[in-house]
Amino acid sequence: MSQPVLEISNLNAWYGESHVLHGIDLSVAKGEVVCLLGRNGAGRTSTLRAVLGLTGNRTGSIKVNGQEVIGMPTHQVAQLGIGYCPEERGVFASLTCEQNLLLPPKVGEGTALSLDEIYEMFPNLLERRNSPGGRLSGGEQQMLAIARILRTGASLLLLDEITEGLAPVIVQKLGQVVAALRERGFTIVLVEQNFRFASKLADRNYVIEHGQVVKVVARDELEASQDELKSLLGV
């Protein structure tokens, strides 16, 4: 069996005095789409942030392509070929859409998508390429945030709540994009509240509750696990 692209073992993390992750274990193979499910505040976003060293203190092990990254500064972790799309998107409002796409540095050994490839994947961004980032709709900003990390050559994508608050037609488009990226060999970790969206895409779903993985559900086990998942994810 090949080495996992991302392997997390007994991960604990803190924000100041607040202990937010309590022994997370998960593994993601090359080309897999894995989804982190759970209620708000369960620790899903903190898991992504901990990979990049954006939480406070961390203990345990986080390996990216076999390399231990606990203790490594964030900029070095990113250089291992990680693209992070945060929930707040981080689009530069005063720069045009295309300027946003031209900014990112190269990371990792992957092949960065060209502007032409980006515009083929996201036709909306081609139409809005000269518009300031702050003038884009929420859906267009989300597309731009994803497109920007594809410009870096990153091969491991950490995508946080990319469908939140977006119209169904945009959510459907983003689903097609994630499926296309998987076909191209990207490895993807999604944090999602939208279970219907995630379940169509994910090879495996990790349910996180109170900073711990409480259930792992493979795609072919989803039907049989519906009732349990509803109780774990219901508000």
Side-chain angles (χ1 to χ4, degrees):
M1 185 172 168
S2 63
Q3 172 180 277
V5 171
L6 177 64
E7 188 169 24
I8 297 176
S9 306
N10 193 29
L11 173 63
N12 286 261
W14 289 259
Y15 291 115
E17 296 293 311
S18 183
H19 191 178
V20 292
L21 300 180
H22 301 265
I24 295 281
D25 292 297
L26 66 85
S27 178
V28 189
K30 180 172 170 53
E32 270 195 319
V33 176
V34 161
C35 187
L36 310 186
L37 298 169
R39 298 182 179 97
N40 283 335
R44 301 165 304 145
T45 293
S46 294
T47 301
L48 296 191
R49 288 175 60 84
V51 171
L52 288 156
L54 295 171
T55 59
N57 188 31
R58 299 171 294 166
T59 64
S61 174
I62 303 171
K63 290 183 178 175
V64 176
N65 292 314
Q67 184 165 347
E68 181 61 61
V69 302
I70 292 258
M72 195 182 279
T74 297
H75 69 277
Q76 285 184 6
V77 181
Q79 288 293 333
L80 298 175
I82 300 177
Y84 175 45
C85 185
E87 191 177 352
E88 59 274 14
R89 299 172 188 153
V91 167
F92 290 100
S94 61
L95 300 181
T96 67
C97 176
E98 189 156 297
Q99 285 169 335
N100 269 274
L101 289 171
L102 292 171
L103 271 180
K106 180 143 176 31
V107 300
E109 302 300 318
T111 304
L113 269 61
S114 67
L115 279 180
D116 287 345
E117 289 174 305
I118 292 290
Y119 288 146
E120 188 177 342
M121 189 174 283
F122 297 101
N124 299 53
L125 299 185
L126 176 61
E127 292 171 22
R128 302 302 304 275
R129 66 187 182 278
N130 296 317
S131 300
R135 297 279 180 87
L136 303 180
S137 70
E140 288 165 345
Q141 286 191 4
Q142 188 62 73
M143 291 178 192
L144 177 56
I146 296 171
R148 196 169 49 183
I149 62 175
L150 299 176
R151 292 276 300 136
T152 66
S155 53
L156 170 58
L157 309 181
L158 309 180
L159 309 180
D160 193 359
E161 296 280 20
I162 60 171
T163 67
E164 188 174 30
L166 299 183
V169 65
I170 302 292
V171 173
Q172 185 179 13
K173 171 63 180 172
L174 292 176
Q176 292 166 356
V177 166
V178 171
L181 292 173
R182 188 226 307 263
E183 289 294 314
R184 294 179 77 135
F186 286 87
T187 304
I188 301 169
V189 182
L190 290 169
V191 163
E192 259 307 326
Q193 200 74 15
N194 185 338
F195 177 63
R196 185 176 295 175
F197 173 84
S199 63
K200 291 175 185 168
L201 295 166
D203 296 295
R204 265 173 304 117
N205 299 274
Y206 287 81
V207 182
I208 296 179
E209 197 170 69
H210 305 303
Q212 295 178 304
V213 175
V214 295
K215 178 94 178 156
V216 183
V217 184
R219 184 187 294 176
D220 58 5
E221 299 167 339
L222 277 172
E223 203 61 48
S225 305
Q226 286 292 326
D227 290 342
E228 187 179 3
L229 285 170
K230 276 179 187 161
S231 71
L232 286 169
L233 301 172
V235 176

